[in-house]
Amino acid sequence: MSSSEADRQIHAFFFPFTAHGHMIPIIDMAKVFAARGVKATLLLTPHNASIFTKSIDQERSLFGLDVHIQILGSVLFGEAGLPEDIRSPDMLPNHFLAIKSLQQPLEQLLEKHRPDFIVADTFLTFATEAASKYGIPRFVFHIAGFFSQCVEETLVSHKPQEGITSDTETFVVPDLPDHIEMTRLQLSDLHRNNDAFAIEVWADVRESEKKSYGVLVNSFYELEPAYAMHYKNVLCKRAWSIGPVSLANKNNMDKAAQRGKKTSFDDHFVVNWLDSKEPRSVLYICFGSFYSRFSKAQWHEIALGLEDSETSFIWVIRKIKQEEEESYLPEGFEDRITANKKGLLIKEWAPQVLILDHPAVGRFMTHCGGNSLLEGVTAGVPMVTWPMSADMFYNEKFITTVLKIGIQVGVEKWNSWLTESIDVLVKKEKIANVVSRLMGDGEEATNMRTKAKELSYMAKEAVEKGGSSYENMTALIEEFKMFKKPSTMEN
């Protein structure tokens, strides 16, 4: 390699799906690449750009990162009469159509700027075709880790669920490094009901991924080595693990502000509340960035179960209409937990990385989303698993069966995050019991704490110089420095 090639700055586009949980890790990834000398350009819709502009400007001014925002699709969603989030199942097809119409403006940006490569979310399948027109490599970005992707691919190729006569009968997911049992109730509509829209989306995703340059995974080798190897050697996919990307946020300001939204409390208030607690004495509860569509009765069961466990907790409650908020919680619940200083309710949004990293937080009740799973691992906290939809039941198996750092709360049925539940999925007695088990000092809880701390150490080592994720990124950057940069219209 010549000296000019070695010194050339790489320019990369980062293109997230419009859901907040998809944007967060790609934005963190852009920051990680920028910290390694890459010019990183985020492609965001106007609404999402308005949320993240302040934090991105901060990264440039305070830390000198070469990271920028390029607005894409200035009138797209307004013309289609669609909000940029998805609020009902009926909106999904139109939302995906609107997203696909971003292909032309994406191609215009690719033609103008000619980046060295583009990282696009798995659902932005048109990015592969758009990038290929200009000889630009496209990487697929998955929120899911290797384990979840291996389970999904095995269900698609082997279809073990089709030989089962009952939705509650267990079956073994074949050809995996571990013995993984599931039921049809835990599978998505793609595998259980042959949903036409889901089949079309995932067929498009797999075809696009097959034609892409490779896959970037927000994971680290030491977390799931058998599945990283299975993904590459058995499923024959080119992949680089470069996470945990949330570790791009080094200080409290980053951990609080990088999510882009405001909380119902000042961040200092939350930290001060945690400072008043003993180490590892607080349970953090959060069910993700989408609607937590529990029934009113289930909200009551969670609240009463937390009270009965006598555990200190922070509980993030999202998307409850203000006028109905009181009816969703037992009478006097918030007053009681405030008076006895046992609990703190955060409405709508919480600085999750900041909270999980606090020494007072010892456990995490989670919906098992990909981001939350990895952030919990990185913080070194055992988990109570409450999966809902998407790949969350796979992630629950990873947490409880493979890593052995969590306890299932007992949810048995996959339910779309867009569909409001009318059932009580878990009773207060089970919630109190599982929380008490995990928060206690018995052998089971102690072993999980020890394993979780070991994984946390490995996660942090992976992104430091010489670590597995650091070296993967080094190899990737060096690989693109050897490529001839696509010609550009810019001077």
Side-chain angles (χ1 to χ4, degrees), residues 78-133:
E79 283 186 347
L82 294 171
E84 294 195 37
D85 59 348
I86 307 168
R87 300 171 185 170
S88 72
D90 294 340
M91 291 176 61
L92 268 174
N94 285 339
H95 194 92
F96 269 81
L97 283 175
I99 290 292
K100 284 185 177 180
S101 67
L102 288 173
Q103 179 167 345
Q104 184 178 359
L106 171 63
E107 289 181 5
Q108 291 170 348
L109 289 176
L110 290 170
E111 184 177 18
K112 179 180 180 182
H113 297 279
R114 300 297 174 102
D116 292 276
F117 62 87
I118 177 172
V119 181
D121 188 278
T122 183
F123 289 125
L124 303 176
T125 56
F126 58 85
T128 299
E129 179 185 350
S132 69
K133 291 182 179 181

Side-chain angles (χ1 to χ4, degrees), residues 252-253 256 263-276 344 346 351 354-355 358:
N252 283 358
M253 180 171 61
T263 71
S264 56
F265 290 106
D266 181 85
D267 297 329
H268 296 294
F269 179 89
V270 177
V271 171
N272 289 338
W273 188 89
L274 287 168
D275 285 343
S276 70
L344 179 65
I346 298 181
L354 179 67
I355 291 171
H358 195 282

Side-chain angles (χ1 to χ4, degrees), residues 270-271 273-286 311-316 344 346 350-366 375-384 438-439 449 452-453 456:
V270 177
V271 171
W273 188 89
L274 287 168
D275 285 343
S276 70
K277 302 299 180 182
E278 295 294 321
R280 302 190 308 276
S281 66
V282 176
L283 171 71
Y284 173 63
I285 307 129
C286 182
T311 295
S312 294
F313 62 87
I314 290 181
W315 183 9
V316 184
L344 179 65
I346 298 181
Q352 180 160 294
V353 172
L354 179 67
I355 291 171
L356 285 172
D357 281 350
H358 195 282
V361 175
R363 315 292 187 276
F364 180 16
M365 183 181 288
T366 173
E375 287 165 5
V377 165
T378 303
V381 292
M383 301 177 222
V384 176
L438 201 62
M439 295 297 293
R449 272 201 311 275
K453 287 299 179 186
S456 173

Side-chain angles (χ1 to χ4, degrees), residues 177-463:
D178 292 284
H179 184 84
I180 304 298
E181 293 185 354
M182 301 195 72
T183 69
R184 283 205 319 213
L185 278 181
Q186 296 171 327
L187 304 182
S188 70
D189 290 340
L190 172 66
H191 300 299
R192 193 172 69 249
N193 301 326
N194 291 319
D195 179 81
F197 177 70
I199 290 172
E200 180 184 351
V201 168
W202 284 109
D204 199 18
V205 164
R206 284 189 287 274
E207 185 64 22
S208 173
E209 183 176 306
K210 190 185 302 181
K211 295 177 180 178
S212 71
Y213 191 83
V215 180
L216 298 187
V217 183
N218 185 18
S219 183
F220 57 102
Y221 178 79
E222 294 79 5
L223 180 66
E224 43 185 342
Y227 293 93
M229 297 304 293
H230 184 87
Y231 192 76
K232 295 177 184 178
N233 297 336
V234 179
L235 302 182
C236 301
K237 297 190 177 186
R238 286 165 51 87
W240 292 259
S241 51
I242 58 170
V245 295
S246 63
L247 287 172
N249 305 290
K250 304 292 187 184
N251 54 48
N252 283 358
M253 180 171 61
D254 264 352
K255 294 172 185 178
Q258 58 101 16
R259 265 47 184 164
K261 292 188 178 183
K262 295 181 179 179
T263 71
S264 56
F265 290 106
D266 181 85
D267 297 329
H268 296 294
F269 179 89
V270 177
V271 171
N272 289 338
W273 188 89
L274 287 168
D275 285 343
S276 70
K277 302 299 180 182
E278 295 294 321
R280 302 190 308 276
S281 66
V282 176
L283 171 71
Y284 173 63
I285 307 129
C286 182
F287 298 115
S289 57
F290 288 123
Y291 288 51
S292 298
R293 290 179 176 256
F294 295 126
S295 65
K296 176 181 175 180
Q298 184 64 78
W299 286 110
H300 278 238
E301 293 292 324
I302 296 172
L304 295 173
L306 291 172
E307 279 196 289
D308 290 348
S309 73
E310 299 184 349
T311 295
S312 294
F313 62 87
I314 290 181
W315 183 9
V316 184
I317 300 180
R318 293 191 179 135
K319 300 297 185 184
I320 297 175
K321 294 178 182 178
Q322 191 68 37
E323 63 271 18
E324 297 177 350
E325 194 166 286
E326 290 302 318
S327 69
Y328 273 79
L329 296 171
E331 185 175 355
F333 171 75
E334 191 165 2
D335 291 337
R336 291 194 300 274
I337 64 171
T338 301
N340 63 23
K341 299 181 180 179
K342 275 290 187 182
L344 179 65
L345 297 182
I346 298 181
K347 314 293 173 60
E348 289 297 331
W349 196 257
Q352 180 160 294
V353 172
L354 179 67
I355 291 171
L356 285 172
D357 281 350
H358 195 282
V361 175
R363 315 292 187 276
F364 180 16
M365 183 181 288
T366 173
H367 68 311
C368 304
N371 293 330
S372 291
L373 185 162
L374 198 57
E375 287 165 5
V377 165
T378 303
V381 292
M383 301 177 222
V384 176
T385 60
W386 193 310
M388 297 179 183
S389 61
D391 60 351
M392 297 169 195
F393 280 93
Y394 307 159
N395 292 337
E396 178 182 61
K397 294 295 181 183
F398 184 57
I399 293 166
T400 60
T401 303
V402 179
L403 299 181
K404 296 182 172 61
I405 57 169
I407 302 176
Q408 301 176 33
V409 79
V411 180
E412 298 177 346
K413 183 179 179 181
W414 192 96
N415 191 55
S416 171
W417 53 269
L418 292 169
T419 304
E420 186 167 0
S421 173
I422 60 173
D423 302 318
V424 172
L425 304 174
V426 188
K427 299 287 287 185
K428 65 177 183 177
E429 294 82 5
K430 182 65 179 294
I431 295 168
N433 176 266
V434 169
V435 169
S436 297
R437 279 171 59 194
L438 201 62
M439 295 297 293
D441 292 320
E443 182 179 359
E444 177 186 44
T446 299
N447 289 341
M448 289 184 185
R449 272 201 311 275
T450 300
K451 180 66 181 297
K453 287 299 179 186
E454 290 173 354
L455 292 172
S456 173
Y457 176 79
M458 293 178 189
K460 291 162 186 171
E461 286 284 297
V463 299

Side-chain angles (χ1 to χ4, degrees), residues 136-148:
I136 297 170
R138 181 257 171 134
F139 287 94
V140 176
F141 173 68
H142 283 287
I143 291 178
F146 288 111
F147 174 84
S148 177

